[in-house]
């Protein structure tokens, strides 16, 4: 079956002004100006009212946190007080049922915003939530989303000098054994994979160096990615200097993570030499502009990192630090916060879109998604510019970012429509809103 996505209003792919042809879940052909597809077509989709971009890829999130958005204990705080206020509540109240609903809600929000590949840094494993990754794999499959199951962990409590609460931690052997189980069950290394696994100790503040080292060994043996939070706040840098007598990038080196299997979240407080070292090593950095602004953490050095050779991706992060799981909104925020540092020609809407597509795909270690090009997976987000906010817009691709697109009209994953007329397939959004709202209310009442 060859499908022609024909004559888009605009498309983020050079040489495809007449659209793209899809076949067997992949991009088969780009159709340039004045041309028609090279081979016969079975089906035509008229995209003349759509702006087409590669499906967005979310490289950092914490979906369970949708249960505590705008929580009174967490608002108007910086990272550490925010975390200290909410972590005990999360550890005490998350269970398989509310976790499933939180996952479903965050994934649905992401899909509606134009996201086709998700990852979730799920580090919370109180007793009873051992199957968290399996739950997320099931929920992603139900929506047709690609997912990197990002198996987080905590093993260093407050009593041991870290900041994890006892109810949320697991011991190192249990964590590593579950990582191996998940790799065997879900890590598909083939081109076009729907599910992969990444190993993700939460942060230097709440995991041991031994766990970081053993994770690096496991990731190398099984050819999977590894992920952690790094250099998010000045306090973290000070903690690193005090506890380990070094800076965060030295710490990363010390635990065997300075290689191109690793991507880190935030990556804000790096000096010039560290930026160069990260670039040389090929460590990816997931920029999380919304969360960084909400918590007042600072700003990722996106351009310097990219210039040094580090992949830069984009993540919504959250949800309680962003309170929204909308990746196209994060693209706009990325453009805006970066304009505080770089001049308008230095960071454009195309840079912000690249971070959310190709950049995030590189962070997740994938070359088969993140761009509309022959041979890539047919993952695309299509937006209409019919709302009032777009009226009068000139450049349609710039309008998506500058006028603040927040919902796709259609989303395709592996050649299949998963969102049509703004509605995700196979899910009752009103029911989900009611069920999740009720679960969140019960969660906060318990906390
Ligand atoms: Zn995070």
């Amino acid at each position: 079956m060859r499908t022609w996505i024909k004559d888009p209003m605009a498309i983020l792919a050079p040489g495809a002004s007449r659209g793209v042809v899809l076949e067997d879940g992949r991009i088969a052909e780009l159709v340039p100006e004045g041309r028609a597809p090279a081979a016969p077509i079975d089906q035509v989709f008229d995209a003349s009212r759509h702006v087409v971009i590669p499906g967005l890829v979310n490289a950092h999130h914490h979906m369970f946190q949708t249960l505590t958005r705008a929580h009174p204990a967490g608002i108007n705080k910086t990272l550490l007080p925010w975390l200290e206020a909410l972590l005990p509540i999360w550890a005490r109240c998350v269970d398989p049922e509310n976790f499933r609903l939180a996952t479903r809600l965050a994934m649905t929000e992401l899909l509606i915003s134009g996201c086709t590949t998700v990852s979730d840094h799920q580090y919370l494993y109180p007793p009873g939530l051992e199957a968290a990754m399996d739950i997320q794999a099931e929920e992603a499959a139900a929506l047709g989303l690609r997912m990197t199951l990002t198996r987080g962990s905590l093993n260093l409590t407050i009593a041991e000098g870290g900041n994890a609460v006892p109810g949320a931690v697991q011991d190192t052997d249990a964590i590593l054994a579950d990582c191996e189980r998940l790799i065997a069950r879900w890590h598909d290394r083939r081109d076009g994979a729907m599910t992969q696994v990444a190993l993700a100790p939460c942060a230097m503040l709440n995991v041991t160096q031994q766990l970081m080292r053993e994770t690096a060994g496991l990731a190398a043996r099984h050819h999977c990615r590894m992920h952690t939070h790094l250099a998010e706040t000045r306090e973290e840098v000070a903690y690193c200097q005090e506890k380990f007598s070094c800076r965060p990038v030295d710490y990363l080196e010390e635990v065997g993570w300075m290689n191109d299997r690793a991507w880190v979240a935030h990556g804000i407080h790096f000096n010039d030499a560290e930026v160069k070292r990260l670039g040389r090593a090929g460590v990816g950095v997931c920029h999380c502009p919304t969360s960084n602004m909400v918590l007042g953490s600072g700003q990722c050095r996106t351009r310097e990192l990219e210039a040094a050779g580090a992949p830069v991706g984009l993540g919504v992060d959250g949800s309680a630090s962003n309170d929204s799981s909308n990746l196209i909104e994060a693209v706009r925020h990325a453009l805006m916060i970066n304009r505080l540092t770089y001049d308008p020609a230095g960071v454009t809407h195309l840079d912000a879109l690249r971070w959310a597509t190709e950049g995030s795909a590189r962070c997740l270690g994938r070359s088969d998604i993140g761009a509309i090009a022959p041979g890539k997976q047919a993952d695309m987000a299509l937006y209409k510019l019919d709302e009032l906010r777009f009226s009068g817009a000139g450049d349609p691709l710039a309008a998506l970012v500058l006028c603040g697109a927040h919902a796709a009209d259609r989303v395709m994953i592996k050649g299949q429509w998963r969102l049509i007329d703004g509605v995700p397939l196979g899910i009752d959004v009103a029911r989900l809103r009611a069920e999740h709202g009720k679960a969140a209310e019960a969660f906060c009442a318990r906390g």
Side-chain angles (χ1 to χ4, degrees):
M1 172 73 83
R2 279 170 58 88
T3 304
W4 182 10
I5 307 294
K6 187 182 175 189
D7 294 335
M9 181 192 293
I11 184 165
L12 188 52
S17 57
R18 293 219 62 204
V20 294
V21 177
L22 322 172
E23 192 171 11
D24 298 330
R26 290 169 190 269
I27 310 282
E29 184 184 350
L30 305 183
V31 188
E33 186 65 41
R35 303 275 288 276
I41 293 297
D42 304 297
Q43 202 178 357
V44 173
F45 176 80
D46 175 6
S48 57
R49 291 178 62 204
H50 289 96
V51 180
V52 182
I53 63 173
L56 303 177
V57 179
N58 193 40
H60 188 68
H61 203 2
H62 310 287
M63 296 182 181
F64 72 85
Q65 295 179 11
T66 58
L67 295 162
T68 54
R69 286 163 156 165
H71 193 286
I75 53 174
N76 308 327
K77 288 188 163 78
T78 55
L79 177 75
L80 292 179
W82 168 85
L83 198 56
E84 280 158 21
L86 293 178
L87 193 50
I89 302 173
W90 296 331
R92 206 160 45 238
C93 301
V94 74
D95 63 35
E97 290 72 33
N98 58 35
F99 179 79
R100 184 180 287 280
L101 281 170
T103 296
R104 190 179 297 163
L105 187 101
M107 285 183 181
T108 305
E109 275 189 275
L110 282 164
L111 174 62
I112 290 171
S113 78
C115 189
T116 53
T117 299
V118 300
S119 62
D120 187 38
H121 191 175
Q122 158 49 26
Y123 53 75
L124 203 62
Y125 287 84
L129 201 61
E130 291 79 7
M133 290 288 94
D134 309 278
I135 290 172
Q136 293 202 315
E138 288 164 16
E139 291 297 320
L143 286 166
L145 283 164
R146 287 184 208 279
M147 181 164 198
T148 296
L149 296 164
T150 309
R151 207 294 182 186
S153 48
L154 299 168
N155 74 343
L156 193 66
T157 61
I158 296 163
E160 296 160 331
N163 73 351
V165 294
V169 300
Q170 292 181 302
D171 70 54
T172 307
D173 289 346
I175 292 165
L176 294 170
D178 194 47
C179 288
E180 298 223 51
R181 176 186 76 82
L182 292 166
I183 289 165
R185 182 165 186 202
W186 297 112
H187 190 49
D188 182 355
R189 291 175 55 204
R190 291 171 298 182
D191 199 67
M194 293 303 289
T195 316
Q196 295 191 335
V197 172
L199 310 181
C202 184
M204 69 168 73
L205 294 97
N206 44 42
V207 299
T208 60
Q209 284 183 295
Q210 184 208 350
L211 178 58
M212 291 293 288
R213 281 194 196 95
E214 296 207 20
T215 297
L218 202 56
R221 279 202 298 286
H222 293 285
H223 306 280
C224 61
R225 309 288 295 172
M226 47 192 189
H227 181 52
T228 192
H229 294 94
L230 196 78
E232 182 174 359
T233 61
R234 288 197 176 82
E235 289 82 358
E236 180 194 322
V237 177
Y239 173 91
C240 189
Q241 282 170 325
E242 193 187 318
K243 181 156 182 188
F244 304 111
S245 305
C246 65
R247 290 180 48 88
V249 172
D250 304 318
Y251 171 91
L252 214 58
E253 183 126 48
E254 170 67 26
V255 293
W257 277 52
M258 282 292 275
N259 58 62
D260 61 5
R261 269 187 303 283
W263 90 102
V264 300
H266 306 293
I268 295 170
H269 301 283
F270 297 136
N271 62 31
D272 291 347
E274 289 166 335
V275 165
K276 289 200 175 71
R277 284 165 68 193
L278 290 162
R280 265 199 306 275
V283 174
V285 176
C286 178
H287 179 29
C288 303
T290 317
S291 166
N292 297 157
M293 287 190 281
V294 168
L295 297 171
S297 303
Q299 189 197 329
C300 177
R301 300 181 67 186
T302 51
R303 296 318 313 249
E304 291 92 336
L305 283 161
E306 280 196 311
V312 170
L314 198 71
V316 294
D317 195 19
S319 277
S321 58
N322 170 350
D323 301 293
S324 158
S325 305
N326 190 316
L327 194 50
I328 193 70
E329 179 189 66
V331 172
R332 185 171 195 238
H333 291 166
L335 178 75
M336 291 158 81
I337 190 176
N338 277 275
R339 287 277 171 90
L340 293 177
T341 303
Y342 309 105
D343 67 41
V347 173
T348 71
H349 61 284
L350 297 176
D351 292 313
L353 286 166
R354 187 184 66 252
W355 295 331
T357 53
E358 277 181 68
S360 285
R362 287 182 68 198
C363 284
L364 300 185
R366 298 195 65 150
S367 56
D368 57 340
I369 59 171
I372 297 173
K376 302 275 185 192
Q377 291 292 302
D379 291 5
M380 293 184 286
L382 287 70
Y383 301 81
K384 280 185 175 170
L385 304 185
D386 292 347
E387 293 168 83
L388 295 179
R389 69 180 71 205
F390 297 113
S391 189
D395 180 325
L397 278 166
L400 279 188
V401 183
L402 296 174
C403 304
H406 70 286
D409 181 64
R410 285 192 169 236
V411 171
M412 172 180 278
I413 303 169
K414 214 178 178 76
Q416 303 287 318
W417 293 116
R418 297 296 181 183
L419 181 96
I420 296 178
D421 299 334
V423 179
L425 303 191
I427 192 157
D428 180 339
V429 172
R431 184 174 159 192
L432 173 60
R433 171 66 183 85
E435 288 178 348
H436 179 277
K438 208 170 144 196
E441 223 172 276
F443 187 97
C444 292
R446 251 190 289 165

